[in-house]
Amino acid sequence: MSLVELKNLTKTFGGLLAVNDVSFSVEEGSIVGLIGPNGAGKTTVFNLITGNYIPDTGEAIFDGKDVVGMQTHRIVNLGIARTFQTIRLFKSLNALENVLSGCHCRMKSGVFASMFRTPAQRAEEKRVLEKAMSELEFVGLKDQWDTQADSLSYGKQRLLEIARALATEPKFIILDEPAGGMNDQETQELIELIKAIRERGITVLLIEHDMSLVMKICEHLIVLEYGAVIAEGDPETIKNDPRVIEAYLGADDDLL
Ligand SMILES: Nc1ncnc2c1ncn2[C@@H]1O[C@H](COP(=O)(O)OP(=O)(O)OP(=O)(O)O)[C@@H](O)[C@H]1O
Ligand SMILES: [Mg+2]
């Protein structure tokens, strides 16, 4: 069953066609990779799913509902979480506080309960703190709960963003270049982490330039070039697709 169905999404910026009639589905419980050369439109597709941008045309169906035009917080409440290509953390807050900001959307206490610190509200605070700590532990940052976000290494900041996204209790997580800035060992650990996220029943869509990572964990790949889908299939098929090989020729990395 498809959890996500993108239908004919198009987005232009001025005269630039950044996303050109893109349609694809993401099966529930899968790990899917969205790949393509720099500027192909990958991040823009993410931004269309998460409500950061509104498409010119098309639909983004999540769990049976079209999320186009919905506010980002409503989309988060529906169960879509994301991380960013350019890390967006509260730099001067510690790791735990950053994850707590993700928990916020699942808190039930109203203003009255918060002002008068009712027993129900105290119980909820405790539950939320435990939840935030458990997400830090899940990504391997439990011991650094008190470290200010911008004192963490780049790789660990990416893990912290993942913990914050998981704290929103998503059904679907989208990761924009999660291995960016990670060393080899961190990348290996990230592979295990992404598998563990899927084990929790969360469907994963990721953009990644590290082809060895993508080939190892994705069961399905979608390739974008100049805003359009040029190929789709399992990693082996994609690796041998002449259009994909051509799209990557001239890229500075030995990607495929
Ligand atoms: N807010 C914006 N305003 C104008 N142009 C934009 C905007 N966002 C993206 N673009 C342009 O749209 C195109 C697609 O950009 P996008 O960031 O989606 O590519 P990408 O595939 O994520 O690339 P990269 O691998 O470099 O991250 C690029 O030409 C980019 O310059
Ligand atoms: Mg991008």
Side-chain angles (χ1 to χ4, degrees):
M1 202 187 82
S2 299
L3 180 64
V4 181
E5 263 182 86
L6 306 185
K7 295 184 186 168
N8 310 104
L9 285 175
T10 294
K11 178 71 183 171
T12 49
F13 295 109
L16 178 86
L17 190 51
V19 173
N20 182 6
D21 198 23
V22 164
S23 302
F24 66 85
S25 309
V26 179
E27 291 301 298
E28 188 155 17
S30 61
I31 301 177
V32 174
L34 181 61
I35 64 171
N38 289 117
K42 305 178 296 292
T43 298
T44 305
V45 169
F46 274 19
N47 284 327
L48 295 175
I49 305 173
T50 54
N52 297 82
Y53 293 154
I54 295 178
D56 303 341
T57 58
E59 292 172 37
I61 312 288
F62 172 69
D63 219 4
K65 290 182 201 71
D66 187 1
V67 300
V68 164
M70 273 189 202
Q71 288 180 309
T72 49
H73 71 269
R74 278 200 62 206
I75 294 176
V76 172
N77 282 336
L78 284 179
I80 302 183
R82 73 172 299 175
T83 64
F84 294 90
Q85 184 170 354
T86 315
I87 294 171
R88 291 193 201 174
L89 290 164
F90 296 109
K91 291 183 185 357
S92 59
L93 297 184
N94 70 28
L96 179 65
E97 288 161 338
N98 270 281
V99 180
L100 282 169
S101 74
C103 294
H104 184 75
C105 74
R106 299 288 169 205
M107 288 179 76
K108 293 181 188 70
S109 299
V111 175
F112 177 85
S114 305
M115 279 173 70
F116 295 99
R117 295 191 51 78
T118 60
Q121 202 244 348
R122 283 201 296 273
E124 183 170 59
E125 264 180 22
K126 184 165 176 280
R127 184 185 63 77
V128 165
L129 264 177
E130 284 168 4
K131 166 81 180 156
M133 279 307 280
S134 77
E135 295 302 355
L136 280 176
E137 186 171 12
F138 184 76
V139 303
L141 289 178
K142 191 177 170 210
D143 294 342
Q144 277 121 313
W145 69 270
D146 199 17
T147 305
Q148 195 168 305
D150 64 358
S151 303
L152 292 169
S153 70
Y154 209 60
K156 288 194 166 130
Q157 290 188 34
R158 292 218 177 265
L159 295 176
L160 181 53
E161 274 215 328
I162 294 175
R164 180 177 61 185
L166 291 170
T168 66
E169 298 177 16
K171 293 181 196 145
F172 179 48
I173 189 166
I174 55 189
L175 308 171
D176 198 343
E177 301 200 20
M182 287 191 174
N183 62 33
D184 285 351
Q185 198 203 327
E186 286 172 326
T187 304
Q188 283 312 310
E189 287 165 9
L190 177 70
I191 289 174
E192 295 313 312
L193 177 64
I194 293 172
K195 287 181 184 164
I197 291 173
R198 188 248 295 271
E199 292 299 308
R200 282 170 58 166
I202 300 169
T203 305
V204 181
L205 175 64
L206 74 145
I207 294 175
E208 190 46 68
H209 278 295
D210 182 336
M211 280 305 133
S212 72
L213 182 150
V214 167
M215 296 288 167
K216 270 186 206 144
I217 55 172
C218 297
E219 47 254 10
H220 191 78
L221 293 175
I222 292 135
V223 191
L224 280 186
E225 188 188 28
Y226 299 119
V229 176
I230 58 161
E232 202 180 324
D234 61 72
E236 212 36 51
T237 311
I238 292 300
K239 220 156 100 175
N240 298 310
D241 185 302
R243 273 196 81 180
V244 178
I245 295 166
E246 195 177 329
Y248 276 102
L249 282 180
D252 41 10
D253 295 321
D254 184 14
L255 288 170
L256 290 174

